[in-house]
Amino acid sequence: MNMKKWIAAALACSALALSACGGQGKDTAAPAANPDKVYRVASNAEFAPFESLDSKGNVEGFDVDLMNAMAKAGNFKIEFKHQPWDSLFPALNNGDADVVMSGVTITDDRKQSMDFSDPYFEITQVVLVPKGKKVSSSEDLKKMNKVGVVTGYTGDFSVSKLLGNDNPKIARFENVPLIIKELENGGLDSVVSDSAVIANYVKNNPTKGMDFVTLPDFTTEHYGIAVRKGDGETLKVMNDALKKVRESGEYDKIYAKYFAKEGEQAAK
């Protein structure tokens, strides 16, 4: 083989080797979101203003608007499904849902069995009581006969920490509407739940005679979008889309639609 042929052959082999290994070009980048991919979003639509059902049975609310904006920015499709709160995480883990977006607080315990997106909303726990009822510390909660919480919510965790998990003073319910109705009917002394949800109820029900207070015992919490443990591809799609929605200003528009007049602060 003469020198020219040898050089040509060597160059061809080098090109083939680089191609087989991926080379150092564009092909090493992470794949973009698949526009034909439909992400199944599990939610419990009993948590207004984040999730609720409209007159036609469709899920609506802040989380829905935000996820719709993310789908548009990230070039993917979504499908919301309303189901009981206690079925959300099992549905995620067994593959019946791709993500859970339902006002889910990011906690260290939950991180053991699922992964979370970047935070998208900031709240704290508050105490809902009839107007005129004094509540200024956890000691006031300890003196009450019945404190209502929703099973598995962080309000449940907070009250259990204060009063003891098996304390008979803790009354547990399946969802927020049920627990608030019980308080209105006089079956509870107070309700502990997420600030934005309770503020939304008080704002839209001025004749019910309810008010809420924030106690120093309750710390700041952040909502996140939950994905299956180890599902880095879906997690990246969600985080990239959330970032785009924030940077475009669309997040602020959605936030203002639901919370601008309530004094809530968006998660940083």
Side-chain angles (χ1 to χ4, degrees):
M1 181 183 292
N2 64 35
M3 183 61 69
K4 288 184 178 180
K5 289 184 177 181
W6 184 86
I7 293 174
L11 289 173
C13 289
S14 297
L16 181 61
L18 283 173
S19 175
C21 295
Q24 298 179 8
K26 299 177 182 178
D27 293 339
T28 59
N34 182 355
D36 297 320
K37 169 70 175 178
V38 178
Y39 290 94
R40 298 162 298 167
V41 184
S43 65
N44 175 236
E46 297 169 314
F47 200 60
F50 293 94
E51 291 88 18
S52 59
L53 295 178
D54 64 16
S55 59
K56 297 181 180 179
N58 299 313
V59 184
E60 63 179 2
F62 176 86
D63 281 354
V64 178
D65 287 0
L66 178 56
M67 181 58 81
N68 281 329
M70 288 170 56
K72 183 178 180 180
N75 195 30
F76 57 86
K77 297 180 178 66
I78 54 170
E79 179 183 277
F80 268 91
K81 182 182 178 183
H82 162 57
Q83 55 193 82
W85 168 261
D86 60 7
S87 74
L88 295 180
F89 301 139
L92 179 66
N93 291 330
N94 67 27
D96 288 338
D98 299 301
V99 303
V100 172
M101 190 175 192
S102 192
V104 180
T105 298
I106 302 170
T107 68
D108 289 338
D109 184 58
R110 287 171 177 164
K111 285 180 180 179
Q112 300 303 309
S113 57
M114 63 194 80
D115 291 330
F116 282 96
S117 70
D118 296 330
Y120 70 86
F121 203 90
E122 179 180 295
I123 59 101
T124 188
Q125 297 301 304
V126 297
V127 184
L128 178 68
V129 291
K131 286 184 178 179
K133 194 174 189 69
K134 181 182 178 182
V135 182
S136 57
S137 71
S138 59
E139 292 302 314
D140 294 322
L141 281 180
K142 293 176 182 179
K143 296 173 185 176
M144 295 179 182
N145 292 321
K146 286 292 179 181
V147 179
V149 297
V150 177
T151 303
Y153 280 22
T154 44
D156 184 3
F157 304 154
S158 297
V159 174
S160 295
K161 184 176 180 180
L162 286 174
L163 306 183
N165 186 62
D166 298 322
N167 194 318
K169 292 185 176 184
I170 302 176
R172 294 182 171 89
F173 292 76
E174 292 182 5
N175 56 58
V176 171
L178 283 177
I179 199 172
I180 289 180
K181 180 59 68 176
E182 186 69 10
L183 179 63
E184 292 174 349
N185 293 337
L188 298 172
D189 296 303
S190 67
V191 163
V192 176
S193 193
D194 297 35
S195 54
V197 174
I198 296 302
N200 180 72
Y201 161 77
V202 171
K203 174 185 175 182
N204 293 308
N205 295 274
T207 64
K208 298 295 185 180
M210 297 291 174
D211 204 354
F212 66 93
V213 294
T214 303
L215 300 183
D217 307 82
F218 300 143
T219 58
T220 298
E221 302 173 7
H222 294 92
Y223 292 161
I225 303 165
V227 306
R228 270 186 297 282
K229 193 71 177 176
D231 187 358
E233 181 178 341
T234 298
L235 187 63
K236 185 179 187 308
V237 169
M238 294 298 131
N239 277 333
D240 287 351
L242 178 59
K243 182 180 180 181
K244 289 178 181 177
V245 171
R246 284 190 180 280
E247 291 177 345
S248 70
E250 189 64 23
Y251 179 96
D252 294 332
K253 293 178 183 178
I254 298 170
Y255 182 87
K257 174 181 175 181
Y258 292 92
F259 305 107
K261 296 181 180 180
E262 297 179 25
E264 292 290 334
Q265 295 297 316
K268 303 299 183 184

